[in-house]
Amino acid sequence: VSTLDHLRDVEIVSSTVAAACGDNGTMLLTTDAGISWTETASGVTTNLNDIKFVSGGIGYATGDNAVLIKTTNSGSSWAEIDMSFTNGKINAVEAIDENNLILVGEMGKVLLSNDGGSSWYAPMGLSYETDLNDVVFFDAFNGVIAGNNGLILNSIDGGYSWNESSVITSGDSYDYFSVAFADESNGISTGRSGIEIFTTDGGLTWTEAPPAFNQSMYSPNNGRTKNIELKQNYPNPFNP
């Protein structure tokens, strides 16, 4: 399939199935490990910024104008969830499981649901006005939000409350666009101007210093990637 729309995220569902979302409600699906892609009807025309799947073929995608859609068949079809109580751009969705969802977006927006999106509430004591760009949970309780102006937040209670993480960098307060974890301790966040920050304590503190467990990949002089070898499976993520 060919598309002129900007694709913003891709999520692997299984060894053969993946879905990608993008501008103007674009939703693409592959069932042959990325060899071919077909466009599926998302049911919306707004930009879709993020997509997340949980078990049983259940997935969620979110985007501009507070749009949120759900699939129960691994992306073959989608249905819109009523979000008329709010507005604005949603940048990311995290699905801890089928019922427990977290959305983050512009102007400090954080919304939580414990019933698969039927009802929503805001966490306690959160009053930031900076854009929040990504959210990840590495278990049912512990999660991290990456935002603009150097803001990294962490939660230890499933998103009910959030605290600012300690972020130590040599320059300005960077905008952080994405965050990911290898396990419950080790994570990375990346952002504007190529900034990379690392945590080894589950997101409580962050520095530009590469973690010791991965030190061999980094130059001792500037802390940047020294050598990465791309194996034969690149760029096909389905081939382990």
Side-chain angles (χ1 to χ4, degrees):
V1 67
S2 61
T3 178
L4 297 177
D5 291 310
H6 181 196
L7 298 178
R8 297 178 178 271
D9 195 26
V10 61
E11 178 85 352
I12 295 176
V13 183
S14 69
S15 60
T16 57
V17 177
C21 65
D23 288 357
N24 301 311
T26 297
M27 185 69 67
L28 304 179
L29 183 68
T30 179
T31 57
D32 55 12
I35 297 174
S36 62
W37 294 79
T38 57
E39 189 163 0
T40 63
S42 68
V44 298
T45 57
T46 52
N47 294 346
L48 296 172
N49 302 318
D50 195 35
I51 184 171
K52 178 68 67 173
F53 277 84
V54 292
S55 60
I58 295 172
Y60 299 88
T62 192
D64 295 357
N65 301 326
V67 68
L68 180 66
I69 57 176
K70 178 181 180 179
T71 180
T72 58
N73 53 17
S74 300
S76 295
S77 62
W78 296 82
E80 188 170 2
I81 294 175
D82 182 17
M83 298 291 289
S84 58
F85 68 92
T86 188
N87 53 37
K89 181 181 180 182
I90 303 294
N91 291 319
V93 54
E94 175 66 303
I96 298 175
D97 54 40
E98 177 184 353
N99 294 314
N100 293 286
L101 311 176
I102 299 174
L103 304 176
V104 301
E106 64 181 3
M107 296 299 293
K109 184 188 295 293
V110 179
L111 295 172
L112 293 87
S113 176
N114 303 124
D115 53 16
S118 296
S119 62
W120 297 87
Y121 59 95
M124 298 181 297
L126 204 62
S127 58
Y128 295 98
E129 294 185 354
T130 190
D131 289 355
L132 305 177
N133 299 315
D134 197 15
V135 56
V136 62
F137 272 73
F138 44 85
D139 59 37
F141 301 101
N142 296 281
V144 171
I145 292 174
N148 288 355
N149 302 319
L151 182 64
I152 302 287
L153 301 173
N154 68 83
S155 175
I156 59 173
D157 56 9
Y160 290 100
S161 63
W162 295 84
N163 298 297
E164 282 195 41
S165 300
S166 171
V167 181
I168 301 173
T169 61
S170 58
D172 299 329
S173 295
Y174 295 94
D175 295 341
Y176 299 108
F177 300 139
S178 63
V179 59
F181 277 78
D183 52 42
E184 67 275 7
S185 299
N186 299 288
I188 182 175
S189 183
T190 61
R192 194 176 301 279
S193 302
I195 183 68
E196 297 175 340
I197 57 174
F198 304 88
T199 180
T200 58
D201 58 10
L204 301 180
T205 61
W206 298 78
T207 69
E208 289 183 84
F213 73 90
N214 212 14
Q215 193 68 41
S216 62
M217 290 180 58
Y218 295 87
S219 163
N221 296 321
N222 59 18
R224 291 295 183 260
T225 302
K226 181 172 62 177
N227 181 42
I228 296 178
E229 182 179 358
L230 299 179
K231 301 297 184 179
Q232 63 178 358
N233 63 337
Y234 182 83
N236 185 356
F238 297 96
N239 183 17

